[in-house]
Amino acid sequence: MILDNYYTASQGNDTVFHLNPPKIKFGRGALRELGFEAKALGMSKIALFTDPQIVNLQPVTIAKNSLEAQEINVTVYSDVEVEPTDRSLEAAINFAQAKKFDGYISVGGGSVIDTTKATNLYVTYPADLLDYVNAPVGRALPVPGPLKPHIACPTTFGTASECTGMAIFDLLKQQLKTGIASMHLRPNLGIVDPNSLKTLPSEVVAANGFDVFSHAVESLTCKPFTGRVSPLDPSQRPIYQGANPYSDISCIEAIKLIGANLVRAVNDREDDSLNDALSFSGVLAGIGFGNAGCHIPHAMSYAVAGLVNDYKPTGWETNHPLVPHGSSVIVNAPAVFRFTGPACPERHLEAAKAMGADVSETESSNAGQILANQVINMMKETNMPSGISSIGYSTMDIEALTERTWAQQRLLVNSPRPIEKSDIRELFKMAMNYF
């Protein structure tokens, strides 16, 4: 697939892509080296961000001990909300503004890491909350410059937030999920320790795994970087530049790891050996979509998560209704893959093959359906919701879901197939129930 015809550029379109690999330290026991890395970055007075569930678990203890062994002053902030909101971000920013920290450590899932990124930004460069938020929801002002050092230590593996320059959160009044994108937000280092996954319940593993999978497939199948008009100024080339040969390599390997390991990992949490594969799949997908971007399933997921009414999933301790991010993505994915399949059938078949499907005698016209079927089968085997109706939506909600999705233009423009509002309505109808 590398440098294949998918990357043929037409007159006036871009012929350049950038490679922005994150800095990652990976392996069992890596978290014990946190103090060394923090000191090397010049940290002496840090905020350690986590959430109310993680704060009493071993990863936070290991992190704190490692930092204090290097004589680094540590203040723990454990009020991060799962699926952060503008309310929870403002509380975190207020906390950090008064303390004058010279660095940040995040120990937790994507919600913790994203909250830390946003806090670091608004404390370093104070502004109205919407100033840096992606258009058309916010003003999309560029981040002025580098932030304070930040080391991200994930205790989940789905979001790969340690690899990206993205921070996602909900705007409560608008019932909308949105985000901030800038390479300045990406942590200086991600410390990925598979031991940190030991206490994850099956439901969280499943949602994380499907987030990894969808990151990888969306990046693999999104509009190629050669599908964009060449920028007049190289600085205007977007972070999420479209499918590219660099991202393809990591995405295919991430899909293979999920296809080979996710079902077993969900159904046998005693098999600790699978955590290495899960952790590494998240890093690989993060490298992929951190350079390529995602498209329709993630755009739809922001509406599904933002408009949630009273759904509270098993496996998450939360004080408010929420749809876990991986769940909100994968309930849309089969419908989307059927829609996008004709735009790049070979890539959809490659993804299905990486999941374990036999595609040797498959017609390219069936590529989207084959991939969708593989996803649905894995959803069944891991007890995922059977569609958006399983998380509380009905046909009465389609118009609101469509409007919220249409606001996510930064994602929709990456679709390999042009999409209109009417297409989104049909996709939500198809996503109501798969089995």
Side-chain angles (χ1 to χ4, degrees):
M1 296 183 67
I2 306 305
L3 301 177
D4 63 18
N5 290 335
Y6 197 56
Y7 297 119
T8 301
S10 57
Q11 186 68 32
N13 279 11
D14 212 344
T15 57
V16 176
F17 66 95
H18 48 70
L19 284 65
N20 282 315
K23 186 177 180 183
I24 299 292
K25 175 173 280 193
F26 183 95
R28 291 181 181 258
L31 188 56
R32 299 184 185 280
E33 299 182 9
L34 172 61
F36 168 83
E37 298 293 349
K39 189 172 184 179
L41 286 170
M43 298 187 194
S44 60
K45 180 184 178 183
I46 64 98
L48 191 159
F49 276 47
T50 188
D51 68 35
Q53 286 73 51
I54 302 296
V55 68
N56 295 316
L57 298 181
Q58 192 174 41
V60 170
T61 301
I62 292 171
K64 196 165 179 284
N65 288 345
S66 180
L67 292 163
E68 290 176 344
Q70 295 291 333
E71 299 183 342
I72 295 171
N73 182 275
V74 181
T75 301
V76 176
Y77 180 79
S78 60
D79 291 334
V80 173
E81 286 188 10
V82 177
E83 302 297 333
T85 64
D86 46 0
R87 174 189 61 208
S88 68
L89 285 188
E90 286 169 357
I93 293 165
N94 289 337
F95 158 80
Q97 277 176 332
K99 303 289 186 179
K100 301 190 185 311
F101 297 111
D102 61 17
Y104 294 84
I105 306 294
S106 50
V107 182
S111 296
V112 172
I113 300 173
D114 284 3
T115 297
T116 309
K117 291 177 182 177
T119 300
N120 193 0
L121 168 61
Y122 286 99
V123 172
T124 306
Y125 303 107
D128 181 82
L129 191 64
L130 290 179
D131 278 357
Y132 301 120
V133 170
N134 298 319
V137 177
R139 301 177 188 91
L141 298 182
V143 173
L147 308 184
K148 299 291 187 185
H150 172 199
I151 300 177
C153 309
T155 59
T156 60
F157 64 99
T159 66
S161 188
E162 70 278 5
C163 297
T164 74
M166 195 77 194
I168 303 296
F169 61 94
D170 289 317
L171 293 170
L172 292 174
K173 289 183 179 178
Q174 293 93 324
Q175 292 184 297
L176 184 69
K177 190 176 284 285
T178 187
I180 306 166
S182 169
M183 290 312 297
H184 290 302
L185 264 65
R186 190 168 69 183
N188 300 73
L189 174 66
I191 297 182
V192 182
D193 189 333
N195 288 334
S196 296
L197 305 187
K198 286 182 178 180
T199 59
L200 288 186
S202 294
E203 297 87 355
V204 177
V205 172
N208 273 243
F210 280 112
D211 195 17
V212 170
F213 168 81
S214 204
H215 282 151
V217 177
E218 290 177 58
S219 298
L220 185 71
T221 60
C222 69
K223 182 166 67 177
F225 75 96
T226 51
R228 288 184 293 98
V229 175
S230 184
L232 295 175
D233 180 346
S235 69
Q236 298 305 306
R237 188 170 284 116
I239 297 173
Y240 299 122
Q241 59 200 328
N244 61 83
Y246 172 67
S247 292
D248 288 351
I249 298 168
S250 58
C251 289
I252 286 293
E253 294 305 315
I255 297 167
K256 287 179 180 178
L257 286 171
I258 290 298
N261 295 283
L262 182 61
V263 172
R264 284 193 297 147
V266 169
N267 293 302
D268 183 7
R269 291 306 298 136
E270 297 299 315
D271 189 350
D272 178 56
S273 67
L274 301 174
N275 290 335
D276 297 82
L278 298 180
S279 292
F280 201 55
S281 72
V283 170
L284 290 173
I287 292 170
F289 89 87
N291 285 271
C294 297
H295 59 84
I296 305 173
H298 269 75
M300 294 172 71
S301 80
Y302 290 174
V304 170
L307 288 169
V308 62
N309 186 16
D310 56 6
Y311 182 75
K312 290 186 178 180
T314 304
W316 280 261
E317 293 184 29
T318 175
N319 60 3
H320 60 282
L322 69 87
V323 184
H325 180 59
S327 302
S328 70
V329 171
I330 208 62
V331 290
N332 309 304
V336 172
F337 297 151
R338 290 167 181 153
F339 174 80
T340 56
C344 48
E346 295 82 5
R347 288 177 170 254
H348 286 71
L349 286 178
E350 191 69 23
K353 180 181 176 182
M355 284 187 76
D358 180 1
V359 300
S360 57
E361 298 182 10
T362 301
E363 297 280 343
S364 62
S365 59
N366 293 328
Q369 183 64 51
I370 294 296
L371 179 56
N373 289 344
Q374 284 292 116
V375 176
I376 291 168
N377 288 339
M378 190 173 284
M379 289 169 70
K380 291 178 181 177
E381 291 181 283
T382 53
N383 297 310
M384 291 297 285
S386 61
I388 63 174
S389 63
S390 296
I391 51 183
Y393 292 105
S394 72
T395 54
M396 299 292 289
D397 300 306
I398 286 177
E399 194 59 36
L401 289 165
T402 299
E403 289 297 327
R404 298 303 195 286
T405 300
W406 192 246
Q408 304 298 331
Q409 288 298 314
R410 69 174 183 85
L411 293 167
L412 295 176
V413 296
N414 286 336
S415 171
R417 178 178 173 181
I419 187 165
E420 303 294 337
K421 267 190 183 180
S422 57
D423 298 317
I424 296 172
R425 290 188 189 98
E426 290 303 312
L427 290 175
F428 275 122
K429 289 178 184 177
M430 292 165 55
M432 277 290 162
N433 194 54
Y434 299 112
F435 54 88

